[in-house]
Amino acid sequence: MDNAEVAKRLFEMAEMLEFKGENIFKIKAYQKAARHIEELEEDINVLRRKDELGSIPGVGEAIEAKIKEMLDTGTFKAFEKIRHTIPQDIEEITAVQGIGPKTAHLLYSKLGVKDLQGLLKAAEEHRIRRIPGMGLKTEEHILIAAKRQLAEGNIGRFPLGVALPIAEEISKKLLDGTLIREVRIAGSIRRWKDTVGDIDLIARSDEPEKAIEVFTLMDNVQEVLEKGNTKGSIIYKGNIQVDLRIVKDDAFGSLLQHFTGSKEHNVKLRQIALSKGFHLSEYGLKNATTAEQIPFSTEHEQYERLGLQFIPPELREDWGEIEAAMEKKIPRLIEVSDIKGDLHVHSNWSDGHNTIEEMALAAKALGYQYINISDHSASSKIANGLSEKRLLDHIKEIERLNESIEGIRILSGTECDILPEGTLDYSDELLEQLDIVVVAVHGSVEQDSKTMTQRIVSALENEHVHILAHPTGRKFGKRLPFAMNMEKIMDTALEYGKVLEINSSPQRLDLNDKFAMMARERGIKLAINTDTHSLEQFGNIRYGIGTARRAWIASNDVINTLHLKDICKFLGIS
């Protein structure tokens, strides 16, 4: 076990003691020891060999014995004993944002709540508000958070589109002062994972204690969980945990790399370091023979010292990136600057907020060469879908605007509904008059896998269709992916030369990284679009790019990196 793993186990012990309502001083003793171990610059295994565990602040004889037991066996008896007295699924409750061990114990002791389903039932039956000190608002917050987790299947995690703006907001606040010179977002946000457990920030400061003080006193801090010399931990508005670590300049790269993760990636890096005679930690490399500590101010330097090509954060999942880096075969991944146009855009003709002209001029200002106005089809009545007559008028309006606006080509398109039986919302004769046909499922989303798969396959077999939008239909916190056979859908897309979309909307991120990787490996072309309904949503392209980079996607895998002339040729547009 390394420093972080030992500290985590001690924090878990403190949490279980808190759940049981044990002595507060005992709880704080575990928390204090864990905090100091987390902040250690020396490997705890080295301290153990030197018989210096007792020198760690907060580590007395009793906790020292437990640490030794952990280092030998991976756990300790007291931990296992108390763990077996706590309901097996109670972590589902403490993982709900805003519910700590005390609240979980209160819900368990008063209402018998011991898992997520029980929590939902108690909230829906309005029993939580009856507990003294809880109330209506607390019950409502718990119900919303629990439903979100159940819908997403990611207990205790937030969509990236929620977590990233909060991380950027806090970073900006911290940099407004004079104490902190640089703040970097780490963790799963930096890897652009579609869901996030908490927010990790790494910062440089010459006065770390004062910097942590500023962090814990920010506006919108709901609770201070920890305030140490170099680390602070808070619950921020929206019930999301944020951890800030202050590090010396010479070890900034080492700490940033360590806390960017993932755990599996870092474990493999430690194995490589050991093979070269070093111990790797968040503080850099330590010579196993001389105990010389070698910190790195940049991640590039640390990867280079390990004999590896620099590995972009999005790839650090132990999905083959380390082996590729050994052979210097990490590809150049797609970047936002590679995008030449957006092929899924809505205007106020359907449910967008801006005119076609405003959308086109905004895209032109971004440097785009083309934009596809793909307003909804007639069946999407809630989205003010276009009747056949309105679609013909839509085409004429785009022709008129193309004559008056220079520097960008407006393509006439549709986001055409795939109807429940697999037919399309417009006739082939009408679709033939469009530049691009984007198709998508919007209604009858509860169909079984066989029906939904055949529905989408039928649409992809239509000769006028170009792109399948948000293929799995997921919406964070609202809807799980459709029941569908993705392999069969991809086989059809490949056979008929269709393009699959990575939808950049933070509520969707669909295709996800795994399916986007599957498409790339099969040779299926992709389009990274924003599905934008207002001018500011063009900026969401970064979410789609982040997802694509996680899937090892390069610019030549994506059709809207093509210049105008080339994409018109690819799509058969005159």
Side-chain angles (χ1 to χ4, degrees), residues 104-252:
H105 183 262
L106 191 63
L107 292 166
Y108 175 64
S109 60
K110 297 289 187 183
L111 303 178
V113 172
K114 56 185 178 182
D115 56 25
L116 186 58
Q117 289 288 355
L119 180 67
L120 280 167
K121 187 176 180 183
E124 289 170 344
E125 293 175 353
H126 307 309
R127 290 185 283 127
I128 292 176
R129 68 180 69 177
R130 299 172 196 161
I131 300 174
M134 298 295 274
L136 174 62
K137 285 190 176 180
T138 300
E139 183 179 74
E140 288 175 347
H141 286 312
I142 288 173
L143 181 60
I144 291 168
K147 280 185 173 179
R148 180 179 62 215
Q149 288 178 19
L150 189 66
E152 292 163 10
N154 288 292
I155 293 177
R157 298 184 71 82
F158 290 85
L160 177 65
V162 171
L164 178 56
I166 292 174
E168 291 174 332
E169 174 185 311
I170 293 172
S171 298
K172 185 177 179 181
K173 284 183 180 181
L174 294 174
L175 286 171
D176 280 346
T178 58
L179 286 169
I180 294 177
R181 297 192 306 279
E182 181 180 3
V183 179
R184 295 289 297 275
I185 300 168
S188 47
I189 295 181
R190 188 165 179 243
R191 300 199 313 277
W192 289 86
K193 279 196 64 133
D194 53 12
T195 62
V196 173
D198 55 18
I199 295 172
D200 290 302
L201 302 176
I202 310 296
R204 303 178 193 259
S205 175
D206 294 325
E207 299 181 81
E209 289 188 55
K210 289 184 180 179
I212 295 297
E213 181 76 11
V214 168
F215 171 67
T216 58
L217 292 175
M218 289 186 305
D219 293 339
N220 298 316
V221 173
Q222 296 177 348
E223 183 182 353
V224 176
L225 301 176
E226 181 181 347
K227 187 165 69 172
N229 296 330
T230 59
K231 179 190 173 185
S233 183
I234 61 171
I235 300 295
Y236 199 69
K237 70 176 181 182
N239 292 323
I240 188 166
Q241 182 170 328
V242 185
D243 297 331
L244 172 67
R245 292 171 177 84
I246 308 293
V247 63
K248 297 174 183 176
D249 287 352
D250 63 353
F252 189 81

Side-chain angles (χ1 to χ4, degrees), residues 301-316:
E301 292 172 321
Q302 182 161 297
Y303 278 108
E304 185 178 354
R305 187 61 176 267
L306 291 171
L308 300 173
Q309 180 184 2
F310 176 74
I311 301 174
E314 298 91 340
L315 299 189
R316 299 177 196 174

Side-chain angles (χ1 to χ4, degrees), residues 53 55 61 219 231 317 336 384 408 456 504 525 534:
L53 290 175
S55 67
E61 289 183 11
D219 293 339
K231 179 190 173 185
E317 297 288 354
V336 170
N384 190 29
I408 188 167
I456 295 172
S504 302
K525 290 296 183 182
S534 60

Side-chain angles (χ1 to χ4, degrees), residues 58 146 237 409 413 450 453:
K237 70 176 181 182
R409 169 78 180 268
K450 183 178 179 180
T453 300

